[in-house]
Amino acid sequence: MFSRIAFNSLKQTTRGASKTTGHNALLGLSVATAIGSGAGLYYLDKNAAHANMEADGLHPADHPFPQKNFLGTFDHASIRRGFQVFKEVCSACHSLDLIYWRNLVGVAYTEEEARDMAAEFEYKDGPNDTGDMFMRPGKLTDPIPAPYANEEAARAANAGALPPDLSLITKARHGGVDYIYSLLTGYCDPPAGVEVREGLNYNPYFPGGAIAMAQNIFDGVVEFEDGTPNTASQIAKDVVTFLNWAAEPELDDRKKIGVKALLIFSTLTAIALWAKRNRWQTLKTRKIVFNPPKNWNKPTPPKN
Amino acid sequence: MVSGFRRALGSFTYRTFFKKESTYFTTVIASGVAFSMVFNTVFDKYWDRKTAGLKWDDIKDRYAPASE
């Protein structure tokens, strides 16, 4: 009944249009309604409130990191400050196994600076002439040193909890840079009625709410050499930018090449579409005409 | 007049570049190389202007090497 009312009202508004147009309009309207309601229901289902939202962790806010924009790239001064924060605060517990001292050259430090920083650490090197292993100062080809020799040592030193390697953390956590930033700055007292057991800390952004890591980013924990004010939010922003670079060092080049690719391919696509239509014009506009001879009797279908 | 010039230009282009397969191929490669050089130069200049102050090259002068 409603479909007939809808169809008749549609016919009124499209008076003069053919029955096919009316059918097409109604079909288009139904498809749009189906897609719209499907999208709406999907959104509502994803964002529905449920009893165990603490298990998902509080959804982090959308922070304006410049590298998040479609054409945005890293602020390399921020990467430099972020590595300083990592070295002074985070490297006490977290490893950065996939980053080598040479990766910092040309990104945040000059070659001399990176070499000097690497030389501050000692690395075990291969057997010498008498067959003994020996310690030597670091080189550019060495990895950023890890605080613990293995997972067991890390767990033993941190009450059973393993501080994860941070080389890929912004890609490995849902929410990315926003999540890491919110986590670092989001420590607060648990709400009334929420109990956090001894040894854990309350952080609403952490799935489950209870994280083993205590708050480490406070105002003034790090002094920046370039004079940037060292508030907790600035420190967290810089270390998150550094971690994002560590996980995605190719981001600057990827976006530059990506824009070039989009420009060239969209142009080529437009040219290809035009060229096809140009070549097909003769076929699409040809007319086939039957000119019967003068004394031709039009054949009639047989009468049955 | 103008259409005659356009026709003559088109005919000249066809005869010189497109008629023989060897010249056609050379034209394609040469114009590809030329376009690539021009496009990359222009785009890189635009991109560097857009990301001024953010890249390592822009801040490395603050940390001059000890040799200088």
Side-chain angles (χ1 to χ4, degrees):
Chain A
M1 177 182 105
F2 290 112
S3 58
R4 192 166 2 109
I5 294 172
F7 183 68
N8 283 336
S9 65
L10 205 59
K11 223 161 71 160
Q12 292 274 64
T13 55
T14 59
R15 194 190 295 272
S18 69
K19 194 167 168 198
T20 328
T21 316
H23 277 135
N24 282 341
L26 193 60
L27 186 67
L29 199 62
S30 331
V31 169
T33 310
I35 293 177
S37 52
L41 287 170
Y42 174 73
Y43 171 79
L44 284 174
D45 182 59
K46 266 192 74 121
N47 295 329
H50 54 96
N52 203 15
M53 293 179 81
E54 197 182 39
D56 300 331
L58 182 60
H59 193 270
D62 186 6
H63 297 284
F65 285 96
Q67 67 268 18
K68 277 168 67 178
N69 289 332
F70 184 67
L71 302 182
T73 55
F74 284 126
D75 179 3
H76 284 246
S78 186
I79 297 178
R80 187 184 170 101
R81 291 192 298 268
F83 179 71
Q84 183 189 350
V85 174
F86 173 83
K87 199 159 70 113
E88 295 183 14
V89 179
C90 319
S91 62
C93 303
H94 287 278
S95 58
L96 200 71
D97 292 335
L98 299 179
I99 305 297
Y100 290 67
W101 291 109
R102 57 180 166 78
N103 295 126
L104 297 168
V105 177
V107 169
Y109 291 92
T110 64
E111 198 182 321
E112 285 79 9
E113 288 175 323
R115 212 175 275 133
D116 294 337
M117 283 195 299
E120 292 172 18
F121 298 90
E122 293 227 308
Y123 291 83
K124 188 192 287 195
D125 204 348
N128 56 15
D129 295 337
T130 52
D132 305 314
M133 307 297 278
F134 58 94
M135 301 298 280
R136 58 149 177 84
K139 301 188 286 199
L140 286 177
T141 51
D142 291 320
I144 308 278
Y148 305 107
N150 45 50
E151 182 184 329
E152 286 78 6
R155 286 191 187 276
N158 289 287
L162 173 67
D165 183 271
L166 296 182
S167 315
L168 295 168
I169 200 74
T170 54
K171 285 205 286 198
R173 294 293 180 267
H174 181 80
V177 287
D178 292 326
Y179 167 73
I180 306 292
Y181 177 85
S182 302
L183 190 77
L184 292 173
T185 54
Y187 285 90
C188 57
D189 291 326
V194 171
E195 294 274 317
V196 170
R197 75 162 169 84
E198 185 73 39
L200 297 183
N201 307 278
Y202 182 74
N203 191 315
Y205 296 98
F206 190 72
I211 189 172
M213 173 174 72
Q215 183 175 2
N216 280 304
I217 310 273
F218 302 94
D219 288 332
V221 283
V222 175
E223 289 275 324
F224 290 127
E225 56 182 358
D226 58 357
T228 311
N230 48 359
T231 57
S233 59
Q234 175 72 43
I235 293 171
K237 177 235 178 194
D238 288 331
V239 78
V240 168
T241 305
F242 166 73
L243 291 176
N244 194 2
W245 167 82
E248 294 179 281
E250 84 291 346
L251 187 141
D252 292 339
D253 284 333
R254 168 164 54 89
K255 296 212 174 168
K256 184 172 168 186
I257 297 173
V259 175
K260 282 190 190 175
L262 285 172
L263 283 173
I264 292 183
F265 282 124
S266 55
T267 311
L268 288 178
T269 305
I271 293 175
L273 290 169
W274 173 86
K276 180 264 175 190
R277 289 177 70 79
N278 180 279
R279 292 293 113 185
W280 276 71
Q281 235 176 9
T282 45
L283 283 178
K284 286 206 157 189
T285 55
R286 78 178 167 181
K287 284 174 163 37
I288 300 176
V289 175
F290 176 56
N291 290 322
K294 276 206 169 49
N295 301 322
W296 187 62
N297 295 320
K298 185 171 172 183
T300 52
K303 290 195 177 72
N304 279 338
Chain B
M1 278 167 286
V2 179
S3 70
F5 173 73
R6 286 180 61 179
R7 202 171 300 149
L9 187 66
S11 173
F12 170 78
T13 312
Y14 175 75
R15 274 182 287 111
T16 329
F17 298 110
F18 296 164
K19 191 163 177 188
K20 289 208 298 214
E21 184 58 37
S22 61
T23 58
Y24 194 35
F25 180 78
T26 315
T27 309
V28 168
I29 301 297
S31 46
V33 170
F35 170 77
S36 175
M37 288 194 323
V38 169
F39 180 77
N40 282 328
T41 312
V42 169
F43 185 86
D44 288 350
K45 278 226 281 280
Y46 164 76
W47 190 258
D48 289 344
R49 210 156 38 88
K50 273 274 155 181
T51 58
L54 296 175
K55 302 181 295 294
W56 168 249
D57 287 331
D58 300 326
I59 65 172
K60 70 176 180 206
D61 298 321
R62 301 184 211 166
Y63 316 105
S67 57
E68 284 183 2

